[in-house]
Amino acid sequence: MSTITAHHEPSAFETSVADRKRIVAATVETLDAVGWDATDVSAVARTAGMSPACVERHFPSWEGLVLAAVDRWNLDRFEQVARETAGAATLGFVRGLIAHSNVHRGLSRSLMTLSIGSADAGDLSGRFVRDSYRDFHAMVFQGLAFDLSQGEIPAGTDVAALSTSVVALYMGLQLQMLLQPDHDVVVAFDLGLEGLTRGW
């Protein structure tokens, strides 16, 4: 006895969601491949295999699309690095983020360009950059506090000061990738961390 499987035709909503995901993924891919200056609606449309009009229909705001792409990349890289550094302490995770950024320099430089251009904390990009920074700082602080409780870092370590210094090192190296494309940020991170943890 044969079983007939009904063919499911995607609804307009499902198609729209799929298209939006495809456009965001294409924006991430384009930023990584050609960088901030060469990425526009037409470039994203070519990567996505659709028309610029379709991209603009789903994302009337270019700023909104870029922020959606950066947010997607941030989530994906955090998850990937967390898997790759599973079992490592927080400083190992942050080093993994630096190594990931070093491979995906187009995206890293795009993120820093967005950050530098978002001087107005009241606009959409400014709020996104500020909130992302605060979330990252809080994550590093909480991670280091846990590491302290587990004996991964020396007792008596000022976690607040260390987390601020680690985030400053991380952000500074992101900026180095923008200003000095050939700079080896992984080596620089190791040297900076050595200075921060000297005496441990």
Side-chain angles (χ1 to χ4, degrees):
M1 180 177 180
S2 61
T3 301
I4 299 175
T5 303
H7 178 65
H8 172 68
E9 288 290 342
S11 67
F13 175 76
E14 290 171 327
T15 300
S16 177
V17 169
D19 283 346
R20 287 176 66 85
K21 288 182 177 179
R22 182 173 157 197
I23 292 167
V24 170
T27 306
V28 172
E29 182 180 342
T30 306
L31 284 169
D32 196 21
V34 302
W36 179 269
D37 291 337
T39 298
D40 57 17
V41 171
S42 295
V44 170
R46 283 194 297 273
T47 303
M50 58 180 61
S51 69
C54 184
V55 173
E56 291 179 326
R57 184 169 66 252
H58 287 290
F59 289 94
S61 165
W62 174 247
E63 181 185 30
L65 174 55
V66 169
L67 293 180
V70 171
D71 190 47
R72 180 70 264 168
W73 175 58
N74 269 330
L75 291 172
D76 288 346
R77 71 182 177 129
F78 274 49
E79 290 177 359
Q80 180 180 339
V81 172
R83 289 193 301 269
E84 293 171 349
T85 61
T90 303
L91 295 178
F93 173 74
V94 177
R95 186 185 189 278
L97 288 176
I98 287 289
H100 188 278
S101 296
N102 198 40
V103 173
H104 299 279
R105 284 176 171 256
L107 285 163
S108 298
R109 288 195 290 266
S110 295
L111 177 58
M112 287 310 300
T113 301
L114 176 66
S115 300
I116 292 169
S118 303
D120 184 356
D123 66 19
L124 183 62
S125 295
R127 291 196 301 274
F128 174 85
V129 169
R130 183 189 63 230
D131 291 346
S132 296
Y133 173 83
R134 288 177 176 172
D135 289 346
F136 181 62
H137 190 286
M139 181 190 70
V140 173
F141 174 82
Q142 291 164 7
L144 290 172
F146 177 78
D147 294 342
L148 178 64
S149 72
Q150 299 299 303
E152 296 285 350
I153 58 178
T157 298
D158 186 338
V159 171
L162 179 59
S163 62
T164 297
S165 296
V166 169
V167 172
L169 175 61
Y170 172 86
M171 296 301 293
L173 292 174
Q174 295 289 324
L175 182 59
Q176 286 294 312
M177 277 189 279
L178 177 64
L179 302 177
Q180 294 181 285
D182 298 326
H183 191 62
D184 191 329
V185 291
V186 178
V187 171
F189 179 81
D190 289 340
L191 290 172
L193 192 60
E194 182 182 342
L196 290 175
T197 58
R198 187 172 291 121
W200 281 17

